[in-house]
Amino acid sequence: THIKCYTKGMYLYRLFLLIVGASIAIVAREASAAPPNTDPIEGRYSFSLTTFHPSGKLPQLEHAIKASTLGPPIIALTIPNRISNKGHGHESDNEQEQQILLSSIQNLPSPLMNDDGTARFVQISNSIVVGHTGVNADGRVLCEAAQRLSVEHTYTFDEEIPVDVLLEEMALLFQEYTMKPGCRPFGSSLIVASLNDNIMYKYNNANVDGSGCSIFRIDPAGTVTKLDSIGFAGRGDGDEIVRKLRDAGCMDCSNIDEAEKIVMDVLRNESGSARKAMGGAQDGDGGADTGSSRTTSTSTT
């Protein structure tokens, strides 16, 4: 009896060692097959917005920022509109009235569609226009929130909402959803174009053109970035697109019609190159860029 128990115990012990050895071999093989930059414990810290990765990052927030760069490209451009003063007591002087041109490519999944139902640019006040890219549904919610802030400010203070107040409130909304339980960050970025110059006095940083026109970008983390005379957000290499616009003479245009033509050509060429390189990549709402494309633009003076 003792011999049988001893034999059975040895058999179970060897079986246990075999199972443990096989498990260690499988884990080692999976670890060696994983890409060198892949964190094997990434999933442990990506299930919650409020759980930080050991590296100090928020994985879900990085995913949201990535989603905001998959939407259609948006370009915001400040250009001077030269107005002749002849007939108003000035014979040779010309004034320069600054304008902001906002343009975006609209990729439709079918040539039978005329519109996808999403307004890429939304007017917030008489001097502020907001454009969104990334997840279209998130962009619509954010634009609606910006419009509600503008209406509430006008009703309360009987004045148009200043751009710095709008930027602060929208940044707080973005940041709130990076730590709110049971929610996810917004997968959309905003381009805010303003003709109001109160932001220059607050930050003591005038626009490079010396005008009251200002362009800002808000990312899913709630970070507000003041852009140059050319602003970009969305899919594509922003630095390369800005370089193409400058090389095409977009900053030397005398009126908004010339600038619009250059921007439309650059956007169409960029969209065609992206479709060839990506093989029909999807936009922020999952619509494939295999159908027709159209460039939409708006301007404010």
Side-chain angles (χ1 to χ4, degrees):
T1 302
H2 292 290
I3 296 176
K4 290 183 179 179
C5 293
Y6 176 78
T7 304
K8 186 177 181 179
M10 289 297 295
Y11 173 76
L12 294 177
Y13 179 70
R14 290 178 180 178
L15 180 62
F16 172 75
L17 292 179
L18 180 62
I19 294 174
V20 172
S23 301
I24 294 176
I26 292 175
V27 172
R29 184 167 60 251
E30 291 179 352
S32 62
N37 295 330
T38 300
D39 188 351
I41 59 175
E42 177 81 23
R44 300 184 186 180
Y45 304 94
S46 63
F47 65 91
S48 172
L49 301 180
T50 56
T51 302
F52 280 91
H53 191 273
S55 63
K57 300 178 180 179
L58 286 172
Q60 288 290 341
L61 184 56
E62 293 186 346
H63 301 335
I65 294 176
K66 177 64 177 179
S68 68
T69 63
L70 300 179
I74 290 180
I75 293 177
L77 175 68
T78 59
I79 57 174
N81 183 30
R82 295 178 176 83
I83 303 175
S84 175
N85 288 325
K86 291 183 178 180
H88 298 278
H90 303 276
E91 295 298 330
S92 59
D93 294 336
N94 289 335
E95 293 182 353
Q96 289 190 356
E97 182 184 40
Q98 292 293 324
Q99 295 182 342
I100 300 179
L101 173 68
L102 296 104
S103 300
S104 176
I105 195 76
Q106 185 182 48
N107 295 304
L108 302 176
S110 171
L112 301 179
M113 293 180 59
N114 291 325
D115 194 1
D116 61 359
T118 299
R120 193 63 57 190
F121 305 106
V122 178
Q123 184 174 356
I124 305 302
S125 65
N126 292 332
S127 61
I128 300 176
V129 175
V130 170
H132 67 91
T133 184
V135 180
N136 287 338
D138 289 1
R140 290 193 293 266
V141 171
L142 291 168
C143 290
E144 181 181 355
Q147 288 178 320
R148 184 168 59 252
L149 286 171
S150 177
V151 171
E152 291 176 354
H153 184 92
T154 303
Y155 179 80
T156 304
F157 300 101
D158 194 23
E159 66 175 7
E160 181 180 330
I161 184 171
V163 65
D164 57 333
V165 175
L166 177 66
L167 292 172
E168 181 178 357
E169 293 296 332
M170 293 303 298
L172 289 175
L173 177 62
F174 272 98
Q175 194 277 333
E176 178 184 357
Y177 276 82
T178 65
M179 57 183 297
K180 193 173 183 180
C183 300
R184 61 168 177 80
F186 290 104
S188 179
S189 294
L190 298 183
I191 290 289
V192 181
S194 172
L195 297 178
N196 196 345
D197 58 358
N198 68 326
I199 195 74
M200 296 193 306
Y201 299 106
K202 180 174 181 179
Y203 293 100
N204 194 24
N205 182 19
N207 189 283
V208 293
D209 293 331
S211 68
C213 295
S214 301
I215 303 174
F216 303 88
R217 182 177 62 237
I218 310 178
D219 65 15
T223 304
V224 180
T225 305
K226 189 176 188 298
L227 304 177
D228 201 350
S229 53
I230 300 179
F232 176 83
R235 181 175 57 240
D237 187 349
D239 295 336
E240 181 66 18
I241 292 177
V242 171
R243 185 190 64 79
K244 289 181 180 179
L245 289 173
R246 294 185 184 278
D247 293 344
C250 197
M251 304 303 302
D252 300 328
C253 296
S254 59
N255 57 68
I256 202 166
D257 294 331
E258 296 179 6
E260 182 176 2
K261 183 178 183 303
I262 294 175
V263 172
M264 290 171 65
D265 292 339
V266 171
L267 281 176
R268 288 196 183 103
N269 294 335
E270 187 68 20
S271 177
S273 301
R275 283 202 301 271
K276 292 179 181 178
M278 300 173 61
Q282 294 183 344
D283 64 8
D285 271 354
D289 294 342
T290 55
S292 60
S293 62
R294 179 182 307 158
T295 305
T296 59
S297 62
T298 183
S299 62
T300 178
T301 309

